[in-house]
Amino acid sequence: MQAIVIVGGYGVVGAQIAQILRQSHGDLPLILAGRNPDQAQALLTELGAHTSAAAVDVLKPNPLAGLQPRAIINAVNDPHDYLLHEAVARGIPLVDITRWTARLQHTLNRLDRAALKAPLVFASHWMAGLASVVAVAATQQLAHTEQLDLHVLFSLKDKAGPNSIEYMQHLTTPFTITEKHQPREVYPYTEPQSVTFPNGYRAKTYRFDTPDQWTLPQSTKAASVSARITFDDRLTMGLLLGLARSGVWKLLLHRRFDRLRHALLYNPGKGAAHELVWQISGRDAAGNPQQLTKTIVDPQGQTHLTAVGAVIQLETMVGLDGSPALDAGIYFPETAPKLAYALERMQQLGVELN
């Protein structure tokens, strides 16, 4: 049986992807890949049989170096698209959870969709697309979706991989949302809304960029879609707001401040719950207004929730969910998995949905 290659498979998220796959699919061959495969030794011992490590460097052309995988999960940045191009050229199914919106759009504009020989699932949406999956499932009870508002509570005590700071790097970079079916340019950390999270914490959330805001208007026909975030430490939230609004952050984008910027944004803890709230409005078949609230809580944190999302995308893509594998083409998180399966699987893996 051909193996699943997890690029970044011994990192914070990749290791949890591997652990979930091993627990769920005991005989599935796994290859933990990265630039320093020696770092995978402890995880290899934990995962046991049917697991190996391999050197894969996404910063070099043809990074797979002769590997013949059944499919790939990419959990590291692929800045030159070398891994993507090799997967496309060789017809290898790929789940990618690393591209922020502008990078995703740039990549898709360059792909020849007619030439694809395998499915490509672009799941760099929030938590590998599970937020969007829940939103789309909720809209099934609406005849018309007007507004989808995602609110994220990020705990400073939560685990985080180094790639997580990519979302935070762009504090002053404008992005486009859909509002009343029209595009509108907005800035990060603006236009706050107040929301109460499942743990009772109430705070203002602020705009930030995720691919969900680009794909959900297409998949749900929602008139407006937004995503906002806050941190569970008001002092840190205030610091980020001050840096963004004062113009200081633009100065810190210079390369000589890379270490300082990284230190400000990347201070992972040992773990804490990750909480999301969807506020959804629309109309039912009779034209009556409807207001829905859906919550997602992963007690094991955002890296675990991301790993769960990547696993669900893979299972659907290659048929590990018991259904036929996906045909060649481009998929997003909310269009790839069967919604009922995805919701059930999330709960099996410890995610709380309400």
Side-chain angles (χ1 to χ4, degrees):
M1 185 188 301
Q2 288 179 294
I4 304 298
V5 169
I6 307 170
V7 181
Y10 47 84
V12 177
V13 173
Q16 292 177 86
I17 293 171
Q19 289 162 341
I20 294 170
L21 286 173
R22 176 58 66 240
Q23 292 162 6
S24 303
H25 309 281
D27 296 332
L28 183 68
L30 302 176
I31 297 176
L32 312 181
R35 285 187 290 174
N36 302 293
D38 289 345
Q39 296 179 11
Q41 290 308 308
L43 185 57
L44 290 175
T45 300
E46 175 191 334
L47 297 177
H50 311 296
T51 311
S52 60
V56 169
D57 187 351
V58 298
L59 299 181
K60 297 179 180 179
N62 304 312
L64 293 176
L67 293 175
Q68 301 289 335
R70 177 181 179 182
I72 302 164
I73 295 179
N74 182 34
V76 300
N77 288 325
D78 182 19
H80 308 297
D81 289 340
Y82 290 146
L83 181 63
L84 173 65
H85 290 327
E86 186 169 8
V88 170
R90 294 173 54 189
I92 302 171
L94 170 70
V95 175
D96 187 293
I97 63 172
T98 68
R99 297 164 196 271
W100 64 93
T101 311
R103 281 266 295 120
L104 175 59
Q105 292 170 332
H106 177 72
T107 295
L108 293 180
N109 286 337
R110 298 173 62 191
L111 279 177
D112 181 359
R113 301 184 185 221
L116 294 179
K117 298 176 286 187
L120 303 175
V121 180
F122 291 100
S124 54
H125 302 52
W126 197 249
M127 303 300 100
L130 292 186
S132 285
V133 167
V134 170
V136 171
T139 63
Q140 302 304 296
Q141 59 189 286
L142 300 175
H144 175 67
T145 304
E146 295 173 354
Q147 183 88 26
L148 293 171
D149 291 321
L150 173 64
H151 302 276
V152 174
L153 177 60
F154 201 106
S155 173
L156 293 184
K157 296 179 181 178
D158 203 353
K159 296 178 183 178
N163 288 337
S164 66
I165 68 170
E166 291 294 343
Y167 278 106
M168 307 305 174
Q169 291 272 27
H170 307 283
L171 288 176
T172 59
T173 304
F175 57 95
T176 301
I177 63 167
T178 298
E179 192 169 81
K180 298 181 180 179
H181 295 298
Q182 298 298 319
R184 181 165 80 88
E185 187 176 86
V186 297
Y187 280 83
Y189 293 93
T190 61
E191 302 180 11
Q193 291 185 0
S194 293
V195 65
T196 301
F197 290 92
N199 67 0
Y201 185 77
R202 184 167 179 81
K204 290 181 179 179
T205 58
Y206 299 84
R207 290 197 180 279
F208 77 115
D209 187 19
T210 73
D212 310 68
Q213 294 172 105
W214 178 53
T215 65
L216 280 174
Q218 304 171 56
S219 57
T220 67
K221 307 304 179 184
S224 304
V225 179
S226 72
R228 289 177 169 85
I229 194 169
T230 193
F231 293 85
D232 65 352
D233 182 273
R234 299 185 194 280
L235 182 61
T236 299
M237 192 70 244
L239 173 62
L240 288 175
L241 289 172
L243 289 172
R245 293 172 178 175
S246 66
V248 171
W249 192 256
K250 289 184 178 180
L251 299 176
L252 293 179
L253 291 176
H254 193 280
R255 290 184 62 183
R256 68 175 178 269
F257 295 119
D258 282 354
R259 288 188 178 182
L260 173 60
R261 199 169 63 251
H262 193 275
L264 287 170
L265 295 177
Y266 184 58
N267 296 285
K270 296 182 178 180
H274 190 63
E275 304 194 4
L276 312 177
V277 174
W278 275 111
Q279 295 176 331
I280 302 169
S281 63
R283 295 185 180 275
D284 62 19
N288 300 312
Q290 299 291 318
Q291 300 286 334
L292 307 174
T293 299
K294 299 294 179 180
T295 64
I296 308 169
V297 177
D298 191 331
Q300 298 181 65
Q302 58 96 11
T303 58
H304 179 261
L305 189 55
T306 301
V308 169
V311 167
I312 291 172
Q313 301 299 337
L314 174 77
E315 289 175 333
T316 301
M317 182 176 69
V318 300
L320 292 174
D321 63 344
S323 66
L326 296 179
D327 294 331
I330 291 172
Y331 299 86
F332 299 122
E334 67 272 22
T335 63
K338 294 182 176 67
L339 295 177
Y341 172 81
L343 298 178
E344 180 181 1
R345 191 77 171 105
M346 289 169 69
Q347 293 175 94
Q348 287 176 354
L349 294 171
V351 181
E352 301 169 4
L353 304 178
N354 289 292

